[in-house]
Amino acid sequence: MNPGKVVAIAGASSGAGRAMALLLAVRGYPVAVCARRQGPLEELVGEIRAKGGQALAVPADMGKWDEAENFVERVVREYGRIDVLVNNAGWGIRSAPFDELSLEEIRQGVDVNLYTVLYGCRAAIPHMKKQHSGHLINVSSLLGKRARSNLAVYTACKHAVEGFSRSLVNDLNAHGIKVSVLAPAAIRTEWQAKAGISLDPKTRLLEPEDLALMVQYLIETPGHFSIWNMDLVALEQSFNPF
Ligand SMILES: NC(=O)c1ccc[n+]([C@@H]2O[C@H](COP(=O)([O-])OP(=O)(O)OC[C@H]3O[C@@H](n4cnc5c(N)ncnc54)[C@H](OP(=O)(O)O)[C@@H]3O)[C@@H](O)[C@H]2O)c1
């Protein structure tokens, strides 16, 4: 059943965010998507509309406050409300010893993995408070709970996303706003190549569609309770490197 919730997905031009938008739109949810790359976003919206779904694309760098705020405002203007915000933007920057990262890479890492989440929530919460309902889904990682060498900034930011989200749960429950953390292990997306990581091609990974299914599950929980944390791991994945 589709309760008609308006779902905004930040970081949807590829990978898990793209899969979330496709699945939810096909199930009848009005979706809004953002990312920095306009071409893939427009292609996604075209695909959704061709399947009879409703979608809005807003190119935005969520690590910049004005653009994050504009994304949320556009969603509210177009759809009249924002029921779900999935903060999915994230990037490993570069797998390397911390002291070999440039100051610019460190700043970029914090912008994309932490500020995107802070700004998305900051922009959406006032609208959700007015509605007395809403759902923030912050995509973390198993590296929000564990550590992996050569990904120190990413690991630090995903730990911060978990702590931030836990704090928000306490603050927002009384306003009828749910907060969930979705924490996957490795997913088969562009993420590894972008961070310069190569995985054994024989290892079974999570698929982007697995995360999409879990987001659907999270937003369809009955109104009186919330799933605070969801950790996902493919059966053949190991915790050994952590
Ligand atoms: N793949 C994995 O193994 C893995 C494991 C655990 C957790 N995760 C997390 O899962 C989430 C989805 O990643 P993915 O695997 O699907 O990787 P992906 O295919 O690289 O997707 C990341 C998305 O975030 C967008 N993005 C990056 N920076 C952004 C910014 N500043 N503002 C707005 N959008 C931005 C990217 O689009 P643009 O480049 O067009 O902006 C892209 O659409 C991320 O948070 C990632 O950290 C991934």
Side-chain angles (χ1 to χ4, degrees):
M1 186 196 72
N2 166 26
K5 287 180 179 171
V6 172
V7 182
I9 304 166
S13 59
S14 61
R18 187 178 200 284
M20 292 169 197
L22 271 174
L23 178 84
L24 294 171
V26 165
R27 299 279 155 92
Y29 289 90
V31 302
V33 290
C34 88
R36 294 164 304 175
R37 287 171 293 174
Q38 189 166 0
L41 276 188
E42 282 171 1
E43 209 178 287
L44 170 62
V45 165
E47 195 175 334
I48 288 172
R49 290 183 182 153
K51 290 179 174 161
Q54 206 181 343
L56 165 74
V58 183
D61 181 339
M62 291 293 287
K64 295 185 175 151
W65 165 249
D66 288 353
E67 297 186 29
E69 185 186 36
N70 180 57
F71 174 50
V72 170
E73 296 301 323
R74 278 288 307 279
V75 175
V76 174
R77 235 180 9 254
E78 297 284 333
Y79 289 125
R81 53 190 296 115
I82 179 166
D83 296 299
V84 180
L85 172 65
V86 186
N87 284 305
N88 173 68
W91 177 30
I93 304 293
R94 181 162 69 91
S95 175
F98 176 66
D99 57 301
E100 290 178 14
L101 294 180
S102 68
L103 297 183
E104 176 58 15
E105 284 175 314
I106 294 170
R107 196 193 53 75
Q108 276 183 351
V110 177
D111 280 352
V112 65
N113 293 301
L114 181 56
Y115 273 100
T116 55
V117 179
L118 300 180
Y119 288 162
C121 291
R122 178 64 183 82
I125 290 169
H127 293 286
M128 292 180 172
K129 278 188 173 172
K130 269 190 227 147
Q131 295 168 184
H132 303 291
S133 71
H135 197 159
L136 299 164
I137 301 177
N138 295 333
V139 178
S140 173
S141 164
L142 286 193
L143 296 183
K145 301 172 172 70
R146 295 158 187 268
R148 180 172 169 154
S149 53
N150 292 335
L151 281 176
V153 174
Y154 181 79
T155 301
C157 291
K158 291 298 192 183
H159 274 69
V161 166
E162 301 246 354
F164 167 68
S165 305
R166 193 179 289 272
S167 181
L168 280 191
V169 170
N170 294 328
D171 297 342
L172 297 178
N173 267 349
H175 294 274
I177 302 169
K178 299 181 181 186
V179 183
S180 302
V181 165
L182 185 56
I187 319 161
R188 192 177 314 283
T189 63
E190 298 174 359
W191 190 98
Q192 285 87 11
K194 284 177 182 166
I197 295 171
S198 56
L199 296 174
D200 180 346
K202 284 188 275 185
T203 308
R204 181 93 189 263
L205 303 180
L206 292 165
E207 300 296 335
E209 293 73 21
D210 300 331
L211 271 79
L213 209 56
M214 291 304 102
V215 167
Q216 186 194 347
Y217 189 80
L218 286 171
I219 67 184
E220 290 182 359
T221 51
H224 67 286
F225 76 92
S226 173
I227 297 173
W228 133 252
N229 189 92
M230 195 181 250
D231 295 346
L232 302 183
V233 61
L235 292 187
E236 292 168 38
Q237 283 172 331
S238 143
F239 290 113
N240 289 338
F242 296 102

